[in-house]
Structure formats: structure tokens, C-alpha cells
């Protein structure tokens, strides 16, 4: 049986910390040549935001969902990606956006998005409320509005806002595997 080997990728857009640089472990000094020391100190510190991405395969048997490994998938399988943003600092962090790409050979399951309020993009530049709609090229009273096929969606985005100290927030989306199925790469030993 041919299967599709899936890779996880995620886009983490701008992270804005709602704290002064010194709270991030950057030493600030009035000395003119202290920039190098500050940069080294900042690099050696633990980042205030820990981001974890998981992918799981969802199977349903007799109405009961179970979660398993998503290393391999075939057409019809349902995958769930979850990005968890954890503030490991002792001050609030402002996260401006969390973006998940729609994996290749999959279709976004719009009703699966958690939390609600996500937007999507078909081009990676502009994000719109779901479902994305387009007006027909006809002018006047004959113009109609239709929903864009979810198979055209390429990215999903949430606007998390502030994450409190020691708190975490998760974003998840499910995708149905479609299209050509390719065999996974094998090592040639």
C-alpha cells in the first residue's frame, strides 16, 4: 500500500513581548561597548515563549474518536495539527499571530478550527473570515457570491493576543488527506 509521509511545518509570525529588554535577560549597560555582552547574554537565556507543534491522525470507529501517530497517512485520513504557545516567563507576552499552513495534499476541515475566530488565506498574504467568499465577475444585479473551495485554502491564522505568565494557549486544525499518494522515501543501505 502506498502512503504519504507527512512533514510538520508551521509559521510563527512576529512575537512582541510586553516587557522591557532586561526582563528577557538582556543586560543593559551605559557603557558604549556593552552591546556584544548584551547580545551574548540574550542568546544564552531561555526564550520566554515555548512553541510546540504536534500532528496526530484521528480515526473514528463506531462513533468513537481515537488519536494515533501521523507519520504515514492515506487518502481519506484525518490529521490534526496543534500548535501550543506557552509563556514560560513571569510576565505577560503579546503574540500578534499564530499561523498554520495547510499541509500539501490535504483539505482544511473548517468546522474543526479551535479556538473559533480563525481566518484563512488562499495566497499567504491576505487573510479573511471563514468561509472565504468571492463575487462573480458579473456586474450589477446578476453578480453572485460563492464560497471558495476549502481545497484552495493554504494557511489558517489566529490572533492570540496576550498570554499570561505561566499560561499556554493551543490552536488546532484538522485536515483530510486527498490527492495523489506517494510512497515514503526509503534509505538505500
Amino acid at each position: 500500500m502506498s502512503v504519504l509521509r507527512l512533514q510538520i511545518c508551521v509559521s510563527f509570525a512576529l512575537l512582541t513581548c510586553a516587557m522591557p529588554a532586561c526582563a528577557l535577560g538582556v543586560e543593559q549597560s551605559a557603557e558604549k561597548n556593552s552591546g556584544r555582552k548584551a547580545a551574548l547574554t540574550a542568546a544564552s537565556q531561555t526564550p520566554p515563549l515555548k512553541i510546540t507543534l504536534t500532528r496526530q491522525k484521528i480515526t473514528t470507529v463506531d462513533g468513537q474518536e481515537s488519536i494515533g501517530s501521523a507519520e504515514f497517512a492515506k487518502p481519506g485520513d484525518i490529521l490534526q495539527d496543534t500548535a501550543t504557545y506557552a509563556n514560560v516567563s513571569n510576565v505577560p507576552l503579546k503574540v500578534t499571530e499564530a499561523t498554520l499552513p495547510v499541509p500539501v495534499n490535504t483539505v482544511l476541515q473548517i468546522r474543526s478550527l479551535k479556538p473559533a475566530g480563525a481566518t484563512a488565506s488562499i495566497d499567504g498574504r491576505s487573510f479573511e473570515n471563514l468561509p472565504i467568499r468571492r463575487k462573480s465577475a458579473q456586474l450589477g444585479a446578476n453578480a453572485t457570491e460563492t464560497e471558495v473551495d476549502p481545497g484552495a485554502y493554504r494557511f489558517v491564522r489566529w490572533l492570540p493576543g496576550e498570554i499570561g505568565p505561566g499560561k499556554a494557549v493551543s490552536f488546532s486544525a484538522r485536515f483530510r488527506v486527498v490527492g495523489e499518494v506517494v510512497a515514503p522515501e526509503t534509505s538505500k543501505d
Side-chain angles (χ1 to χ4, degrees):
M1 172 195 305
S2 294
V3 292
L4 176 67
R5 180 176 288 269
L6 301 166
Q7 294 184 343
I8 298 175
C9 62
V10 68
S11 165
F12 301 111
L14 301 173
L15 164 67
T16 305
C17 298
M19 65 179 107
C22 59
L24 290 171
V26 177
E27 294 181 6
Q28 295 179 330
S29 171
E31 295 178 36
K32 194 172 188 176
N33 295 326
S34 65
R36 183 180 300 151
K37 181 178 180 185
L40 290 173
T41 302
S44 66
Q45 298 297 316
T46 302
L49 184 66
K50 178 181 177 185
I51 303 169
T52 306
L53 181 66
T54 59
R55 174 169 289 156
Q56 300 167 311
K57 186 174 4 178
I58 309 297
T59 55
T60 304
V61 177
D62 296 329
Q64 296 293 324
E65 277 190 3
S66 63
I67 298 172
S69 169
E71 184 176 359
F72 297 99
K74 61 186 184 316
D77 285 349
I78 301 294
L79 306 174
Q80 178 173 293
D81 284 1
T82 302
T84 301
Y85 286 54
N87 179 352
V88 295
S89 73
N90 58 1
V91 294
L93 296 178
K94 179 166 175 55
V95 179
T96 58
E97 56 191 46
T99 302
L100 284 175
V102 175
V104 175
N105 293 332
T106 69
V107 174
L108 174 67
Q109 305 296 287
I110 296 173
R111 290 190 175 109
S112 73
L113 298 173
K114 293 180 185 172
T119 58
S121 175
I122 59 174
D123 61 11
R125 293 184 305 268
S126 61
F127 285 79
E128 303 175 48
N129 291 328
L130 293 166
I132 296 176
R133 298 179 181 277
R134 291 288 178 261
K135 290 189 178 181
S136 69
Q138 297 175 338
L139 298 175
N142 293 333
T144 59
E145 190 173 81
T146 59
E147 289 185 13
V148 172
D149 178 2
Y153 295 179
R154 301 299 5 124
F155 298 91
V156 182
R157 177 174 288 166
W158 291 266
L159 305 174
E162 188 172 288
I163 302 174
K167 302 288 183 187
V169 61
S170 292
F171 307 95
S172 68
R174 289 185 177 184
F175 310 95
R176 183 175 41 84
V177 178
V178 296
E180 284 292 312
V181 179
V182 296
E185 293 181 21
T186 57
S187 61
K188 297 177 183 178
D189 295 333

